[in-house]
Amino acid sequence: MQKFMIHIKTEQEIEKMKEGGKILAEILKKLSDAVKPGITTSELDKLARELISSCGAEPSCLGYNGYPAALCTSVNDEIAHAIPSDRILKEGDLLKLDIGVLHKGFHTDSATTILVGGKEDKEKIKLLNVTKEALNIGISKSKAGNTLGDIGSAIQKYVEDNGFNVVRNLVGHGIGRKFHEPPQVSNYGKAGEGEELKAGWVIAIEPMVVTGDWRIKDGKDGFGFITKDGGLSAHFEHTVAIIDNGPVVLTK
Ligand code: MF3
Ligand code: CO
């Protein structure tokens, strides 16, 4: 018996997810443009809700496992899933925006990291660039015939070669009619190991990279995760379809 069922999406289903992904990319771009010192994370969530509803889509996160917002706004040592609040963003904060939308019955999921105020900070900019490139490397390995371990090991190697670490306890995932579907997409592993990727899979790849140790702990808001050692964290995510010709990034 199979341990889990991985849905193979049809071309038409992937087309719907591409529409949703394009909507999501535009929303995430507008949210990123709104980030500036002085704005609160709940103001960003309010904007996210307005943008999603004006596109005729629905927020994937709101109500998901009881999550109370449309957007995740994790700052500095917060890795993911932090709830928007009256926290005022300041110059130099490393802000992760993570968001999903439901469009025509299918979810898409994407995340980005922003250095608030854009002030030069070599370590933070390096962390941001390494994480973004780690995602690109993971996407490039997302080909039918490769394995999940090929994605994870390539991401891990690139990150560790650059002096950072990947978070182990939070993973990417299959996505479609459900926000989280099998398989789990780890950001570490061994090449050649794990399930073989098939044409028709749609997965969210989302490396979370930290400056220090990869161990995490729960945040105080009941949903967020933070680094145990107080190190900084960055996160980029795309929803990617695996088709015969290779990976297609849906959230762009
Ligand atoms: N990209 C995140 C994830 O896959 C989005 C989380 S939304 C939340 O876990 F509602 F679960 F917080
Ligand atoms: Co995700």
Side-chain angles (χ1 to χ4, degrees):
M1 208 181 80
Q2 267 181 301
K3 273 206 305 279
F4 47 71
M5 252 294 286
I6 299 170
H7 295 278
I8 301 293
K9 272 91 181 170
T10 64
E11 241 173 77
Q12 292 85 337
E13 288 174 331
I14 290 174
E15 212 39 54
K16 285 181 192 168
M17 294 188 76
K18 200 178 207 171
E19 275 177 30
K22 188 161 188 287
I23 290 169
L24 181 58
E26 279 161 14
I27 290 171
L28 193 51
K29 172 79 176 53
K30 285 182 183 152
L31 290 171
S32 302
D33 289 345
V35 172
K36 54 180 189 300
I39 198 167
T40 67
T41 52
S42 62
E43 284 171 311
L44 292 170
D45 181 54
K46 185 168 171 277
L47 178 60
R49 293 177 197 226
E50 288 165 4
L51 291 168
I52 293 169
S53 94
S54 74
C55 293
E58 283 170 54
S60 301
C61 297
L62 186 63
Y64 185 75
N65 293 330
Y67 187 77
L71 179 68
C72 301
T73 52
S74 310
V75 183
N76 298 335
D77 61 333
E78 295 171 339
I79 300 161
H81 297 180
I83 301 172
S85 68
D86 55 10
R87 180 176 188 152
I88 299 167
L89 294 172
K90 51 182 201 308
E91 174 119 23
D93 277 341
L94 210 48
L95 172 69
K96 280 73 67 173
L97 297 177
D98 190 356
I99 185 168
V101 296
L102 176 65
H103 166 82
K104 295 190 177 172
F106 289 88
H107 295 275
T108 48
D109 190 2
S110 188
T112 191
T113 300
I114 298 154
L115 180 54
V116 178
K119 200 170 138 220
E120 276 294 304
D121 182 315
K122 281 208 179 99
E123 174 86 346
K124 288 175 186 168
I125 290 169
K126 183 182 173 195
L127 177 65
L128 211 140
N129 287 335
V130 166
T131 311
K132 192 188 277 186
E133 183 58 19
L135 172 58
N136 287 332
I137 288 169
I139 292 168
S140 74
K141 297 286 177 185
S142 301
K143 291 183 185 149
N146 279 355
T147 69
L148 286 169
D150 292 334
I151 298 176
S153 68
I155 290 173
Q156 180 181 15
K157 181 172 190 315
Y158 179 76
V159 167
E160 291 178 357
D161 284 351
N162 279 283
F164 298 131
N165 284 301
V166 289
V167 171
R168 312 285 167 98
N169 306 53
L170 301 169
V171 295
H173 48 94
I175 182 165
R177 291 197 182 275
K178 291 203 186 121
F179 192 43
H180 287 159
E181 296 181 356
Q184 294 199 344
V185 183
S186 291
N187 298 301
Y188 67 99
K190 292 207 171 70
E193 291 192 353
E195 196 86 4
E196 189 180 300
L197 314 184
K198 303 262 177 343
W201 280 21
V202 181
I203 54 176
I205 306 177
E206 47 181 318
M208 284 151 268
V209 175
V210 291
T211 52
D213 190 88
W214 53 265
R215 285 171 186 81
I216 67 173
K217 62 180 186 184
D218 293 339
K220 287 200 183 81
D221 68 11
F223 282 92
F225 296 100
I226 61 181
T227 58
K228 212 166 183 174
D229 66 3
L232 291 171
S233 166
H235 179 204
F236 285 85
E237 176 177 24
H238 272 307
T239 299
V240 178
I242 295 158
I243 61 167
D244 285 323
N245 301 332
V248 181
V249 177
L250 302 179
T251 41
K252 67 164 195 212

